[in-house]
Amino acid sequence: MTRVRAAAVQAEPIWFDLDATTTKTVEIIAQAATEGVDLVAFPETWLPGYPLFLWGMPPVEQIPLVNAYRANSPRIDGPEIARIRDAARAHGTTVVLGLSERDHGSLYMAQLIVGPDGDVLLHRRKLKPTFVERTLFGEGDGSGLQVIDTPLGRLGALNCWEHLQPLLKFSMYAQHEQIHVGAWPPFGDQLAQLSAEASIAMSRTYAMEGSVFVVMANGVMNNVPGFAGGGAAGIYGPDGSLLSDPLDPAHEGLAVADLDLDAIDIAKVFADPVGHYARPDVFTFAVDRTARPAATVGAVIEAGSTSGGAPAAVETGPDDGSAEAIPS
């Protein structure tokens, strides 16, 4: 029997203040460690906070905020991520971090899985930012659709409405995911599909569909004018049941639960979507997990001569991945 103690963070960042929010992140990791937590999961774009201004301001008026937001978005190799990796190592905790990743002139809605030794086990980017998010963030590629082996079990992560994309979800189920981190922003009540109720339904559906534990982390927004609360963090079992104690939507805290991974086998007796409950004779499904950089620059090799006698140079790069067939 394998048991994992997990915590879903429900908290408010120090809005668009990278250094202060990094400090708060380190404090939350330390707090989780005092509760014996093996895995702590943070909300979507926790660093430096979810850009709510995208949803309520005309694009031209957003420019000063975009500039500030970009300046406070961390680089993967930056000092803030190094501090968080050090905290994971110091406390022997696996950390799943949501961040607005700054890569030169572009931003991406990224997630990092940091192991208890401080190593980055997975760096992924949201495959398709949702609606107005596309005005600020770039797209990820299939290389991030990975479930990784860890001492805690097979661990994966997705952002927000990635939980509404059936093929994307199936690509994770097919890798026999056991623990899934779903990272979400604070929730409002202006639109039904953006509400806490809808997002909880997506998380519970993911748990039942994939027969996995879902650690649902999200933010609150008590210091944002016109907003209050918005929290709905929780942990769901492979049967869809809520395992953690409910948190007040307006308060910060950790939703904590002990996960018995043997419960996955029981759930899959009823329905294993990539096993006996699948029909590979009817459906086929393939996932291209090739990394797609904008440019691949590698070694220069000779590839024959031009008509003038000079050798023609061809640039080649490493094979960053391959199309992976996944049975349906």
Side-chain angles (χ1 to χ4, degrees), residues 234-317:
I235 299 177
Y236 297 92
D239 60 355
S241 60
L242 178 64
L243 303 179
S244 56
D245 292 334
L247 299 176
D248 186 317
H251 290 172
E252 297 189 325
L254 297 176
V256 178
D258 293 313
L259 318 183
D260 177 1
L261 299 191
D262 288 345
I264 293 172
D265 295 333
I266 298 172
K268 288 193 173 184
V269 167
F270 292 92
D272 183 355
V274 294
H276 65 81
Y277 210 51
R279 286 295 302 274
D281 56 322
V282 178
F283 304 105
T284 57
F285 180 51
V287 178
D288 186 347
R289 289 203 345 212
T290 305
R292 303 288 183 182
T296 301
V297 180
V300 177
I301 62 172
E302 289 189 2
S305 300
T306 64
S307 57
V314 178
E315 292 190 0
T316 63

Coordinates of all heavy atoms in Angstrom, one line a residue, residues 234-317:
G234 N -9.3 21.8 -3.3 CA -9.7 20.5 -2.7 C -9.0 19.4 -3.4 O -8.3 19.5 -4.4
I235 N -9.1 18.2 -2.8 CA -8.5 17.0 -3.3 C -9.6 15.9 -3.5 O -10.4 15.7 -2.5 CB -7.4 16.5 -2.3 CG1 -6.3 17.5 -2.2 CG2 -6.8 15.2 -2.8 CD1 -5.2 17.2 -1.2
Y236 N -9.6 15.3 -4.6 CA -10.6 14.4 -5.0 C -10.0 13.0 -5.3 O -8.9 12.9 -5.8 CB -11.4 14.9 -6.3 CG -12.1 16.2 -6.0 CD1 -11.4 17.4 -6.2 CD2 -13.3 16.2 -5.4 CE1 -12.1 18.6 -5.9 CE2 -14.0 17.4 -5.1 CZ -13.3 18.6 -5.4 OH -14.0 19.8 -5.1
G237 N -10.8 12.0 -4.8 CA -10.3 10.6 -5.0 C -10.7 10.1 -6.4 O -11.5 10.7 -7.1
P238 N -10.2 8.9 -6.8 CA -10.5 8.3 -8.1 C -12.0 7.9 -8.3 O -12.4 7.6 -9.4 CB -9.6 7.1 -8.1 CG -9.2 6.8 -6.7 CD -9.2 8.1 -6.0
D239 N -12.7 8.0 -7.2 CA -14.2 7.8 -7.3 C -14.9 9.1 -7.4 O -16.2 9.1 -7.4 CB -14.7 6.9 -6.2 CG -14.5 7.5 -4.8 OD1 -13.8 8.6 -4.8 OD2 -14.9 7.0 -3.8
G240 N -14.2 10.2 -7.4 CA -14.8 11.5 -7.4 C -15.1 12.1 -6.1 O -15.6 13.3 -6.0
S241 N -14.9 11.4 -5.0 CA -15.2 11.9 -3.7 C -14.3 13.0 -3.2 O -13.1 13.0 -3.5 CB -15.3 10.8 -2.7 OG -14.0 10.2 -2.6
L242 N -14.7 13.9 -2.4 CA -13.9 15.0 -1.8 C -13.2 14.4 -0.6 O -13.9 13.9 0.4 CB -14.7 16.2 -1.4 CG -14.0 17.3 -0.7 CD1 -12.9 17.9 -1.7 CD2 -15.0 18.4 -0.2
L243 N -11.9 14.4 -0.6 CA -11.1 13.8 0.5 C -10.6 14.8 1.5 O -10.4 14.4 2.7 CB -9.9 13.1 -0.1 CG -10.2 12.0 -1.1 CD1 -8.9 11.4 -1.6 CD2 -11.1 10.9 -0.6
S244 N -10.5 16.0 1.1 CA -10.0 17.1 2.0 C -11.1 17.8 2.7 O -12.3 17.8 2.2 CB -9.1 18.1 1.2 OG -9.8 18.6 0.2
D245 N -10.9 18.4 3.8 CA -11.9 19.2 4.5 C -12.1 20.5 3.6 O -11.2 21.1 3.1 CB -11.4 19.6 5.9 CG -11.4 18.4 6.8 OD1 -12.1 17.5 6.6 OD2 -10.6 18.5 7.8
P246 N -13.4 20.9 3.5 CA -13.7 22.1 2.7 C -13.0 23.4 3.3 O -13.0 23.5 4.6 CB -15.2 22.2 2.8 CG -15.7 20.8 3.1 CD -14.6 20.3 4.0
L247 N -12.6 24.3 2.5 CA -12.0 25.5 2.9 C -13.0 26.7 2.7 O -13.8 26.6 1.7 CB -10.7 25.8 2.2 CG -9.6 24.8 2.4 CD1 -8.4 25.2 1.5 CD2 -9.1 24.7 3.8
D248 N -13.0 27.7 3.5 CA -13.7 28.9 3.3 C -13.2 29.5 2.0 O -12.0 29.8 1.8 CB -13.6 29.8 4.5 CG -14.5 31.1 4.4 OD1 -14.6 31.7 3.3 OD2 -15.0 31.5 5.4
P249 N -14.1 29.8 1.0 CA -13.7 30.4 -0.3 C -12.9 31.7 -0.1 O -12.2 32.1 -1.0 CB -15.0 30.6 -1.0 CG -16.0 29.7 -0.4 CD -15.6 29.6 1.0
A250 N -13.1 32.4 1.0 CA -12.4 33.7 1.1 C -11.1 33.7 1.9 O -10.5 34.7 2.1 CB -13.4 34.7 1.8
H251 N -10.8 32.5 2.5 CA -9.7 32.3 3.3 C -8.5 31.6 2.7 O -8.8 30.7 1.9 CB -10.1 31.7 4.7 CG -10.9 32.5 5.5 ND1 -11.6 32.0 6.7 CD2 -11.3 33.8 5.4 CE1 -12.3 32.9 7.2 NE2 -12.2 34.0 6.5
E252 N -7.3 31.9 3.1 CA -6.2 31.1 2.6 C -6.0 29.9 3.5 O -6.4 29.8 4.6 CB -4.9 32.0 2.7 CG -4.9 33.2 1.8 CD -3.6 33.9 1.8 OE1 -2.9 33.9 2.8 OE2 -3.2 34.4 0.7
G253 N -5.4 28.9 2.9 CA -5.2 27.6 3.6 C -4.7 26.5 2.7 O -4.5 26.7 1.5
L254 N -4.5 25.4 3.3 CA -4.1 24.2 2.6 C -5.2 23.1 2.7 O -5.7 22.8 3.8 CB -2.8 23.6 3.2 CG -1.5 24.5 3.1 CD1 -0.4 23.7 3.9 CD2 -1.1 24.7 1.7
A255 N -5.6 22.6 1.5 CA -6.5 21.5 1.5 C -5.6 20.2 1.5 O -4.9 20.0 0.6 CB -7.4 21.5 0.3
V256 N -5.7 19.5 2.6 CA -4.8 18.4 2.8 C -5.5 17.0 2.9 O -6.6 17.0 3.4 CB -4.0 18.6 4.1 CG1 -3.0 17.4 4.4 CG2 -3.2 19.9 4.1
A257 N -4.9 16.0 2.3 CA -5.5 14.7 2.3 C -4.5 13.6 2.2 O -3.4 13.9 1.5 CB -6.6 14.5 1.2
D258 N -4.7 12.4 2.7 CA -3.9 11.3 2.5 C -4.4 10.4 1.4 O -5.6 10.1 1.4 CB -3.8 10.5 3.8 CG -3.1 11.2 4.9 OD1 -2.0 11.8 4.7 OD2 -3.6 11.2 6.1
L259 N -3.6 10.2 0.4 CA -4.0 9.4 -0.8 C -3.5 8.0 -0.7 O -2.3 7.7 -0.5 CB -3.4 10.1 -2.0 CG -3.4 11.6 -2.1 CD1 -2.8 12.1 -3.4 CD2 -4.8 12.2 -1.9
D260 N -4.4 7.1 -0.7 CA -4.1 5.6 -0.8 C -4.1 5.2 -2.2 O -5.2 5.0 -2.8 CB -5.1 4.9 0.1 CG -4.8 3.4 0.0 OD1 -3.9 2.9 -0.6 OD2 -5.6 2.6 0.7
L261 N -3.0 5.0 -2.8 CA -2.9 4.7 -4.3 C -3.6 3.4 -4.6 O -3.9 3.2 -5.8 CB -1.5 4.8 -4.8 CG -0.7 6.1 -4.6 CD1 0.6 6.1 -5.4 CD2 -1.6 7.3 -5.0
D262 N -3.8 2.5 -3.7 CA -4.5 1.3 -3.9 C -5.9 1.5 -4.3 O -6.5 0.7 -5.0 CB -4.4 0.4 -2.7 CG -3.0 -0.2 -2.5 OD1 -2.2 -0.1 -3.4 OD2 -2.8 -0.7 -1.4
A263 N -6.5 2.7 -4.0 CA -7.8 3.0 -4.3 C -8.0 3.1 -5.8 O -9.1 3.0 -6.4 CB -8.3 4.3 -3.6
I264 N -6.9 3.4 -6.5 CA -7.0 3.5 -8.0 C -7.4 2.2 -8.6 O -8.2 2.1 -9.6 CB -5.7 4.0 -8.6 CG1 -5.4 5.5 -8.1 CG2 -5.6 3.9 -10.1 CD1 -4.0 6.0 -8.4
D265 N -6.8 1.1 -8.1 CA -7.1 -0.2 -8.6 C -8.6 -0.6 -8.5 O -9.2 -1.2 -9.3 CB -6.3 -1.3 -8.0 CG -4.8 -1.2 -8.3 OD1 -4.5 -0.6 -9.3 OD2 -4.0 -1.6 -7.4
I266 N -9.2 -0.2 -7.3 CA -10.6 -0.4 -7.0 C -11.4 0.4 -8.0 O -12.4 -0.2 -8.6 CB -10.9 0.0 -5.6 CG1 -10.1 -0.9 -4.6 CG2 -12.4 -0.2 -5.4 CD1 -10.2 -0.5 -3.2
A267 N -11.1 1.6 -8.3 CA -11.8 2.5 -9.2 C -11.8 1.9 -10.6 O -12.8 1.9 -11.3 CB -11.3 3.9 -9.2
K268 N -10.6 1.4 -11.0 CA -10.5 0.9 -12.4 C -11.2 -0.5 -12.6 O -11.4 -0.9 -13.7 CB -9.0 0.8 -12.7 CG -8.4 2.2 -13.0 CD -7.1 2.1 -13.6 CE -6.6 3.5 -14.0 NZ -5.3 3.5 -14.7
V269 N -11.6 -1.1 -11.5 CA -12.4 -2.3 -11.7 C -13.7 -1.9 -12.4 O -14.3 -2.7 -13.2 CB -12.7 -3.0 -10.3 CG1 -13.8 -4.0 -10.4 CG2 -11.4 -3.6 -9.8
F270 N -14.2 -0.8 -12.0 CA -15.5 -0.3 -12.6 C -15.3 0.2 -14.1 O -16.1 -0.1 -14.9 CB -16.1 0.8 -11.8 CG -16.6 0.4 -10.4 CD1 -15.7 0.4 -9.3 CD2 -17.9 -0.1 -10.3 CE1 -16.2 0.0 -8.1 CE2 -18.3 -0.5 -9.0 CZ -17.5 -0.5 -7.9
A271 N -14.2 1.0 -14.3 CA -14.0 1.6 -15.6 C -12.6 2.0 -15.7 O -12.2 3.0 -15.1 CB -15.0 2.8 -15.8
D272 N -11.8 1.4 -16.6 CA -10.5 1.7 -16.9 C -10.5 2.3 -18.3 O -10.5 1.5 -19.3 CB -9.5 0.5 -16.8 CG -8.1 0.9 -17.0 OD1 -7.8 2.0 -17.3 OD2 -7.2 0.0 -16.8
P273 N -10.4 3.6 -18.5 CA -10.5 4.2 -19.8 C -9.4 3.8 -20.8 O -9.6 4.0 -22.0 CB -10.6 5.7 -19.5 CG -9.7 5.8 -18.3 CD -10.1 4.6 -17.5
V274 N -8.3 3.4 -20.3 CA -7.2 3.0 -21.2 C -6.9 1.5 -21.1 O -5.9 1.0 -21.5 CB -6.0 3.8 -21.0 CG1 -6.2 5.2 -21.4 CG2 -5.5 3.7 -19.6
G275 N -7.9 0.7 -20.5 CA -7.8 -0.7 -20.3 C -9.0 -1.4 -20.8 O -9.4 -1.3 -22.0
H276 N -9.7 -2.1 -19.9 CA -10.8 -3.0 -20.3 C -12.0 -2.1 -20.7 O -13.0 -2.7 -21.3 CB -11.2 -3.9 -19.2 CG -11.7 -3.3 -17.9 ND1 -13.0 -2.8 -17.8 CD2 -11.1 -3.0 -16.8 CE1 -13.1 -2.3 -16.6 NE2 -12.0 -2.4 -15.9
Y277 N -12.0 -0.8 -20.4 CA -13.2 0.0 -20.8 C -12.9 0.8 -22.0 O -13.6 1.7 -22.4 CB -13.5 1.0 -19.6 CG -14.9 1.4 -19.5 CD1 -16.0 0.4 -19.5 CD2 -15.3 2.7 -19.4 CE1 -17.3 0.8 -19.4 CE2 -16.7 3.1 -19.3 CZ -17.6 2.1 -19.3 OH -19.0 2.4 -19.2
A278 N -11.8 0.4 -22.7 CA -11.4 1.1 -24.0 C -11.8 0.2 -25.2 O -12.0 -1.0 -25.0 CB -9.9 1.4 -24.0
R279 N -11.9 0.8 -26.4 CA -12.1 0.0 -27.6 C -11.1 0.4 -28.7 O -11.4 1.2 -29.6 CB -13.5 0.3 -28.1 CG -14.7 -0.3 -27.3 CD -14.6 -1.9 -27.4 NE -14.7 -2.3 -28.8 CZ -15.9 -2.5 -29.4 NH1 -17.0 -2.4 -28.8 NH2 -15.9 -2.9 -30.6
P280 N -9.9 -0.1 -28.5 CA -8.8 0.3 -29.5 C -9.1 -0.3 -30.9 O -8.5 0.2 -31.9 CB -7.6 -0.3 -28.9 CG -8.0 -1.4 -28.0 CD -9.3 -0.9 -27.5
D281 N -10.1 -1.2 -31.0 CA -10.5 -1.7 -32.3 C -11.4 -0.7 -33.0 O -11.5 -0.8 -34.3 CB -11.2 -3.0 -32.2 CG -12.4 -3.0 -31.3 OD1 -12.3 -2.3 -30.3 OD2 -13.4 -3.6 -31.6
V282 N -11.9 0.2 -32.3 CA -12.9 1.2 -32.9 C -12.2 2.6 -33.0 O -12.4 3.3 -34.0 CB -14.1 1.4 -32.0 CG1 -15.1 2.4 -32.6 CG2 -14.8 0.0 -31.9
F283 N -11.4 3.0 -32.0 CA -10.8 4.3 -31.9 C -9.3 4.2 -32.0 O -8.7 3.3 -31.3 CB -11.2 5.0 -30.7 CG -12.7 5.2 -30.5 CD1 -13.3 4.4 -29.6 CD2 -13.4 6.1 -31.2 CE1 -14.7 4.5 -29.4 CE2 -14.7 6.2 -31.1 CZ -15.4 5.4 -30.1
T284 N -8.6 5.1 -32.7 CA -7.2 5.2 -32.6 C -6.8 6.6 -32.2 O -7.5 7.6 -32.5 CB -6.5 4.9 -34.0 OG1 -7.1 5.7 -35.0 CG2 -6.8 3.4 -34.4
F285 N -5.7 6.8 -31.5 CA -5.3 8.1 -31.0 C -3.8 8.1 -30.9 O -3.2 7.2 -30.4 CB -5.9 8.2 -29.6 CG -5.6 9.5 -28.9 CD1 -5.8 10.7 -29.6 CD2 -5.1 9.6 -27.6 CE1 -5.6 11.9 -29.0 CE2 -4.9 10.8 -27.0 CZ -5.1 12.0 -27.7
A286 N -3.2 9.2 -31.4 CA -1.8 9.4 -31.4 C -1.5 10.8 -30.8 O -2.2 11.7 -31.1 CB -1.1 9.2 -32.8
V287 N -0.4 10.9 -30.1 CA 0.0 12.2 -29.5 C 1.5 12.5 -30.0 O 2.4 11.6 -29.9 CB 0.1 12.1 -28.0 CG1 0.6 13.4 -27.4 CG2 -1.3 11.8 -27.4
D288 N 1.6 13.6 -30.6 CA 2.9 14.1 -31.1 C 3.6 14.9 -29.9 O 3.2 16.0 -29.6 CB 2.8 14.9 -32.3 CG 4.1 15.3 -32.9 OD1 5.2 15.1 -32.2 OD2 4.2 15.8 -34.1
R289 N 4.6 14.3 -29.3 CA 5.2 14.9 -28.1 C 6.6 15.6 -28.6 O 7.4 15.8 -27.7 CB 5.5 13.9 -27.0 CG 4.1 13.6 -26.3 CD 4.2 13.0 -24.9 NE 5.5 12.6 -24.4 CZ 5.6 11.6 -23.6 NH1 4.6 11.0 -23.1 NH2 6.8 11.3 -23.1
T290 N 6.7 15.9 -29.8 CA 7.9 16.6 -30.3 C 7.9 18.0 -29.8 O 6.9 18.7 -29.8 CB 7.9 16.6 -31.8 OG1 7.8 15.3 -32.3 CG2 9.2 17.2 -32.3
A291 N 9.0 18.4 -29.2 CA 9.2 19.8 -28.9 C 9.3 20.7 -30.1 O 9.8 20.3 -31.2 CB 10.5 20.0 -28.1
R292 N 8.6 21.9 -30.1 CA 8.5 22.7 -31.3 C 9.1 24.1 -31.0 O 8.4 25.1 -30.9 CB 7.1 22.9 -31.7 CG 6.3 21.6 -32.0 CD 6.8 20.9 -33.3 NE 6.0 19.7 -33.5 CZ 6.2 18.9 -34.6 NH1 7.1 19.3 -35.5 NH2 5.5 17.9 -34.8
P293 N 10.4 24.2 -30.9 CA 11.1 25.5 -30.8 C 10.9 26.3 -32.1 O 10.7 25.8 -33.1 CB 12.5 25.2 -30.5 CG 12.7 23.9 -31.2 CD 11.4 23.1 -31.0
A294 N 10.9 27.6 -31.9 CA 10.7 28.5 -33.1 C 11.9 28.3 -34.1 O 11.7 28.5 -35.3 CB 10.7 30.0 -32.6
A295 N 13.1 28.0 -33.6 CA 14.2 27.7 -34.4 C 15.1 26.7 -33.8 O 15.3 26.7 -32.6 CB 15.0 29.0 -34.7
T296 N 15.6 25.8 -34.6 CA 16.5 24.8 -34.0 C 17.9 25.1 -34.6 O 18.1 25.0 -35.8 CB 16.1 23.3 -34.4 OG1 14.8 23.1 -33.9 CG2 17.1 22.3 -33.9
V297 N 18.8 25.4 -33.8 CA 20.2 25.7 -34.2 C 21.1 24.7 -33.7 O 21.2 24.5 -32.4 CB 20.6 27.1 -33.8 CG1 22.0 27.5 -34.3 CG2 19.6 28.2 -34.3
G298 N 21.8 24.0 -34.6 CA 22.7 23.0 -34.1 C 24.1 23.0 -34.8 O 24.5 24.1 -35.3
A299 N 24.7 21.8 -35.0 CA 26.0 21.8 -35.6 C 25.9 22.0 -37.1 O 24.9 21.7 -37.7 CB 26.6 20.4 -35.4
V300 N 26.9 22.6 -37.7 CA 26.9 22.8 -39.1 C 27.7 21.7 -39.8 O 28.8 21.3 -39.4 CB 27.7 24.2 -39.4 CG1 27.8 24.3 -41.0 CG2 26.9 25.3 -38.8
I301 N 27.1 21.0 -40.7 CA 27.7 19.9 -41.4 C 27.8 20.1 -42.9 O 27.0 20.9 -43.4 CB 26.9 18.6 -41.1 CG1 25.5 18.7 -41.7 CG2 26.8 18.3 -39.7 CD1 24.7 17.4 -41.7
E302 N 28.7 19.4 -43.6 CA 28.8 19.6 -45.0 C 27.7 18.7 -45.7 O 27.6 17.5 -45.3 CB 30.2 19.2 -45.5 CG 31.2 20.2 -45.1 CD 32.6 19.9 -45.7 OE1 32.6 18.9 -46.5 OE2 33.5 20.7 -45.4
A303 N 27.1 19.2 -46.7 CA 26.1 18.4 -47.4 C 26.3 18.6 -48.9 O 25.4 18.8 -49.7 CB 24.7 18.9 -47.0
G304 N 27.6 18.4 -49.3 CA 27.8 18.5 -50.8 C 28.4 19.9 -51.1 O 28.6 20.7 -50.2
S305 N 28.5 20.1 -52.4 CA 29.1 21.4 -52.9 C 28.1 22.2 -53.7 O 27.2 21.6 -54.3 CB 30.3 21.1 -53.7 OG 31.3 20.5 -52.9
T306 N 28.2 23.5 -53.7 CA 27.3 24.3 -54.5 C 28.0 24.4 -55.9 O 29.1 23.9 -56.1 CB 27.2 25.7 -54.0 OG1 28.5 26.3 -54.0 CG2 26.7 25.7 -52.5
S307 N 27.3 25.0 -56.8 CA 27.8 25.1 -58.2 C 29.1 25.8 -58.3 O 29.9 25.6 -59.2 CB 26.8 25.7 -59.1 OG 26.5 27.0 -58.6
G308 N 29.4 26.7 -57.3 CA 30.6 27.4 -57.3 C 31.8 26.7 -56.6 O 32.9 27.2 -56.6
G309 N 31.5 25.5 -56.1 CA 32.5 24.7 -55.5 C 32.6 24.8 -54.0 O 33.3 24.0 -53.4
A310 N 32.0 25.8 -53.4 CA 32.0 25.9 -52.0 C 31.0 24.9 -51.3 O 29.9 24.6 -51.9 CB 31.6 27.3 -51.5
P311 N 31.3 24.3 -50.2 CA 30.4 23.4 -49.6 C 29.2 24.1 -49.1 O 29.2 25.2 -48.6 CB 31.2 22.8 -48.4 CG 32.2 23.9 -48.1 CD 32.6 24.5 -49.4
A312 N 28.0 23.4 -49.2 CA 26.8 23.9 -48.7 C 26.6 23.5 -47.3 O 26.8 22.4 -46.9 CB 25.6 23.4 -49.5
A313 N 26.3 24.5 -46.4 CA 26.2 24.3 -45.0 C 24.7 24.0 -44.7 O 23.8 24.7 -45.1 CB 26.7 25.4 -44.2
V314 N 24.5 23.0 -43.9 CA 23.1 22.6 -43.5 C 23.1 22.6 -42.0 O 24.0 21.9 -41.4 CB 22.6 21.3 -44.1 CG1 21.3 20.9 -43.6 CG2 22.7 21.3 -45.6
E315 N 22.2 23.3 -41.3 CA 22.1 23.2 -39.9 C 21.2 22.1 -39.4 O 20.1 22.0 -40.0 CB 21.7 24.6 -39.3 CG 22.7 25.7 -39.5 CD 22.4 26.9 -38.8 OE1 21.3 26.9 -38.1 OE2 23.1 27.9 -38.8
T316 N 21.6 21.3 -38.5 CA 20.7 20.3 -38.0 C 20.7 20.4 -36.5 O 21.6 21.0 -35.8 CB 21.3 18.9 -38.3 OG1 22.6 18.7 -37.6 CG2 21.5 18.7 -39.8
G317 N 19.6 20.0 -35.9 CA 19.4 20.0 -34.5 C 19.1 18.6 -33.9 O 18.9 17.7 -34.7

